[in-house]
Structure formats: structure tokens, C-alpha cells
């Protein structure tokens, strides 16, 4: 017998998979131990005490039995169901992308309380109705390092100059100045506002972020730069991302 440890953790359900007729396997991202998988027995039955805590986006306390493999969920207590995230098509699409990105970029049982906090705050703010597009860009910028991507955002990626006209070079991995434009034939033209925001999103603490309003054209540039970075370097193709791109045409 492998010894099992009973632990109470604070976490968010980032994925659920049906298992058999009545069970679910939940993927939780927790403050204490990072990502874990747990079996929620009976969670597919409507009258089970685990049903309500076994929904994607649920934020709560979970009593889990942890062994070497898949853990077992004993009890759960909802802190917030993040109802807004589930009931609004747009919010839930953005939320689904945030949790899928987190799932794909993290390994099990690697503690990262900073990432937990970032995930929690991002979902919280989307749930509250803050600009979900901007929150997603911030999240993506902050997840770059976890994806193993380290863009150079303080000066030209080639000559380090901090003055001049700048564009973004996906190939070189950062801002590039007009003196070095010849290095990359596929430069992405960006405005100074986009440059400033990319840097801000990469460095700032989310809870220190005040109210920001961003023009549509700036949002488009942010999206192009960030998506291109992920496409080029992350190796990910996410279903939730494809759905978001389709939804984009219907964005109010
Ligand atoms: Zn340069």
C-alpha cells in the first residue's frame, strides 16, 4: 500500500473529465501544491455532495487524499462558483481559454503560489465584468515565462537601443528598432501605446493594475503580437483558443 495523505487545499477546478457512469476526474490548480488530479466519486450524480464543487471554474477548499498517482476528493466547500463565468458565453469562453492554457503549461505537483494568485485574480476580474480581452492578454504575457518564452521588452532586441521607431519581431523575440528592421522581413508594426502595454502587462502585478481603457486598434496589435509569440514558440494548439477566435467576430 502506498501511504496516502489527507490534505485541505485551496484550489480552482481547471478541467473535468467524465469517468465511468458516475465519476469525474478533476484537475485542480491549488495554492499549496500546484496542479493535481483527483477522482470525484459520484460527482456526475445530481444528488451527490461532490456535484456542485466538481464544475469547471469552481473556486473552493478541497479535502483531498493524495498518493503517488491520482488523488481522491473527499469533500469540497465552495468559496465562489464564479457564476458569471459560467453563465455568460463570452466570459466563459475567455475563462475556458485561461484554464486550458494553465493546464497545458503546468506540470503536476509543482507549487507556484504566484501563479495560483494570478489565475484566481484573472478569473475573479473576468467574473466581475472587467475587460476580459485585456485580462487575457495580461495573463498570456505573464504565462510566457512558464511557456519558456522570454521576450526582450526593454529596448531593441538586436542593438539594445531604447530610442527610435519600434516594431515587434517574433523571430528575434522582442522589440526591434528602425536601425535593425532589415533583420526581420516579417516585422509586426506596433504603436507606442502597444509597446507600453506589452511591457506593462509583462511586468506589473495584476492587483496593482488600475482601470485601463484600451483602443480597439491597440487591442488588435496586442492580440497579433501575443498570438504570434505563442504560435511560434509554445507548440500549443488549444481548442478554447480556436473557439475564442471564432467568437471574436461576434464581440459586442
Ligand atoms: Zn536596433
Amino acid at each position: 500500500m502506498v501511504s496516502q495523505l489527507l490534505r485541505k487545499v485551496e484550489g480552482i477546478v481547471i478541467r473535468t473529465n467524465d469517468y465511468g457512469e458516475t465519476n469525474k476526474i478533476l484537475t485542480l490548480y491549488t495554492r499549496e501544491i500546484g496542479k493535481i488530479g483527483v477522482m470525484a466519486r459520484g460527482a456526475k450524480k445530481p444528488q451527490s455532495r461532490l456535484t456542485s464543487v466538481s464544475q469547471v471554474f469552481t473556486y473552493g477548499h478541497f479535502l483531498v487524499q493524495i498518493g503517488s498517482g491520482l488523488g481522491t476528493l473527499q469533500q469540497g466547500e465552495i468559496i465562489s462558483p464564479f457564476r458569471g463565468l459560467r453563465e455568460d458565453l463570452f466570459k466563459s469562453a475567455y475563462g475556458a481559454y485561461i484554464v486550458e492554457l494553465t493546464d497545458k503549461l503546468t506540470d503536476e505537483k509543482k507549487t507556484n503560489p504566484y501563479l495560483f494568485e494570478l489565475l484566481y485574480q484573472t478569473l475573479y476580474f473576468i467574473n466581475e465584468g472587467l475587460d476580459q480581452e485585456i485580462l487575457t492578454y495580461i495573463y498570456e504575457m505573464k504565462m510566457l515565462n512558464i511557456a519558456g518564452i522570454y521576450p526582450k521588452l526593454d529596448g531593441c532586441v538586436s542593438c539594445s537601443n531604447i530610442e527610435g521607431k519600434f516594431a515587434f519581431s517574433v523571430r528575434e523575440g522582442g522589440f526591434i528598432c528602425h536601425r535593425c528592421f532589415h533583420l526581420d522581413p516579417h516585422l509586426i508594426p506596433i504603436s507606442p501605446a502597444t509597446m507600453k502595454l506589452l511591457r506593462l502587462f509583462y511586468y506589473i502585478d495584476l492587483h496593482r493594475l488600475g482601470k485601463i481603457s484600451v483602443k480597439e486598434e491597440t487591442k488588435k496589435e496586442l492580440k497579433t503580437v501575443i498570438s504570434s509569440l505563442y504560435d511560434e514558440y509554445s507548440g500549443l494548439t488549444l481548442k478554447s483558443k480556436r473557439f475564442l477566435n471564432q467568437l471574436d467576430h461576434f464581440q459586442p
Side-chain angles (χ1 to χ4, degrees), residues 155-161 163 165-166 175-181 183:
C156 174
V157 66
S158 170
C159 72
S160 294
N161 226 306
E163 273 159 60
K165 204 172 141 32
F166 283 88
F175 297 135
I176 194 162
C177 82
H178 66 272
R179 301 164 200 91
C180 306
F181 279 177
L183 293 174

Side-chain angles (χ1 to χ4, degrees), residues 132-199:
Q132 56 221 10
E133 238 179 303
I134 291 300
L135 287 163
T136 300
Y137 299 147
I138 296 173
Y139 198 75
E140 289 180 310
M141 285 306 286
K142 297 205 171 296
M143 290 300 276
L144 283 174
N145 291 353
I146 290 173
I149 307 167
Y150 296 86
K152 184 168 162 60
L153 302 177
D154 40 12
C156 174
V157 66
S158 170
C159 72
S160 294
N161 226 306
I162 53 167
E163 273 159 60
K165 204 172 141 32
F166 283 88
F168 195 89
S169 169
V170 173
R171 197 171 78 180
E172 302 293 321
F175 297 135
I176 194 162
C177 82
H178 66 272
R179 301 164 200 91
C180 306
F181 279 177
H182 61 276
L183 293 174
D184 184 351
H186 305 292
L187 289 175
I188 302 172
I190 50 168
S191 65
T194 299
M195 213 177 145
K196 217 175 103 186
L197 288 174
L198 284 169
R199 205 182 284 135

